[in-house]
């Protein structure tokens, strides 16, 4: 369970891509004469991102790897920003993004799974990992999702964060109201 005081400080959620928004698998091959790279994302994560943003929380995707599949996915998710660094140097890029948004480390959460995430997990106010995270990342996490990356981990983390802030009911009400429906 995420402590309420920690949850309420969070203004921005950072998400790693491979192993968090996906199961880490990458399909590589040729499509016609062109090399192609495909990944599997979980559509259940979409509403997690939507509800976080509806609650006024900025959502940023952080990838250490350039990929057309990732580009397509973040377009669909409508996240606030994509921080991409080909050398997997996530720290400097993330820090620059926080400064530009006038946010401090304690106001950020990050959901990661592997060594490139360690510098961010060490610094954010709410470090979190997926169930399949490597031990070096996991030992830094204040929250570990039951779901594995690519299997609803982003959705689960969004729900847990909003519940810890006592904003889950309101998020659901808003979701239904936007669609002209009564809440459950
Ligand atoms: Mg990863």
């Amino acid at each position: 369970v995420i402590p309420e005081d920690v949850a309420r400080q969070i203004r921005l959620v950072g998400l790693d891509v491979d192993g968090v928004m996906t199961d880490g698998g990458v399909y590589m091959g040729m499509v016609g004469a062109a090399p192609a790279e495909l990944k599997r994302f979980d559509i259940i994560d979409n509403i997690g991102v939507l509800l976080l943003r509806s609650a006024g929380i900025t959502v940023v995707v952080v990838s250490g790897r350039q990929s057309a599949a990732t580009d397509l996915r973040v377009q669909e998710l409508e996240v606030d920003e994509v921080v991409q660094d080909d050398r997997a140097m996530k720290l400097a890029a993330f820090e620059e993004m926080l400064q530009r948004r006038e946010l401090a480390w304690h106001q950020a959460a990050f959901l990661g799974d592997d060594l490139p995430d360690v510098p961010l997990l060490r610094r954010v106010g709410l470090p979190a990992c997926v169930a399949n995270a490597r031990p070096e990342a996991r030992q830094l996490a204040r929250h570990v999702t039951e779901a594995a990356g690519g299997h609803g981990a982003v959705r689960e983390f969004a729900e847990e964060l909003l519940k810890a802030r006592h904003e889950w009911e309101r998020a659901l009400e808003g979701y239904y109201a936007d669609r002209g429906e009564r809440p459950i």
Side-chain angles (χ1 to χ4, degrees):
V1 178
I2 301 169
E4 182 180 349
D5 59 330
V6 174
R8 285 200 184 277
Q9 290 185 330
I10 299 305
R11 303 264 309 277
L12 180 144
V13 169
L15 303 171
D16 175 41
V17 178
D18 296 295
V20 171
M21 289 169 55
T22 77
D23 60 10
V26 177
Y27 299 90
M28 290 178 156
M30 303 295 285
V31 175
E37 182 179 299
L38 299 176
K39 302 180 186 189
R40 177 194 171 281
F41 295 91
D42 195 335
I43 296 301
I44 202 174
D45 289 342
N46 293 25
I47 291 178
V49 170
L50 175 73
L51 295 181
L52 285 175
R53 296 192 67 234
S54 302
I57 297 170
T58 300
V59 179
V60 173
V61 167
V62 183
S63 179
R65 199 163 169 281
Q66 194 76 41
S67 156
T70 299
D71 293 342
L72 286 171
R73 179 59 174 151
V74 295
Q75 278 173 31
E76 183 186 27
L77 277 180
E78 295 181 0
V79 296
D80 293 281
E81 187 170 342
V82 183
V83 174
Q84 236 170 12
D85 188 305
D86 292 342
R87 299 156 303 153
M89 302 291 274
K90 297 182 180 183
L91 177 58
F94 197 84
E95 191 158 41
E96 183 280 319
M97 182 274 300
L98 285 181
Q99 282 172 2
R100 176 160 37 78
R101 292 177 176 275
E102 297 181 357
L103 293 172
W105 281 104
H106 74 270
Q107 295 173 304
F110 189 76
L111 185 60
D113 76 315
D114 204 351
L115 298 183
D117 305 318
V118 163
L120 302 184
L121 294 170
R122 279 192 176 137
R123 288 168 174 83
V124 292
L126 177 54
C129 277
V130 292
N132 52 296
R134 303 306 303 159
E136 294 81 1
R138 176 194 281 259
Q139 69 182 12
L140 298 168
R142 279 191 88 157
H143 183 75
V144 180
T145 62
E146 287 180 21
H151 294 276
V154 174
R155 175 67 168 275
E156 182 188 329
F157 180 67
E159 286 191 20
E160 291 298 322
L161 180 59
L162 291 172
K163 283 175 181 170
R165 293 157 67 98
H166 299 291
E167 291 175 355
W168 177 244
E169 299 299 328
R170 191 166 35 154
L172 278 186
E173 283 168 20
Y175 180 85
Y176 288 122
D178 286 347
R179 286 152 185 83
E181 290 287 321
R182 282 181 292 113
I184 294 171

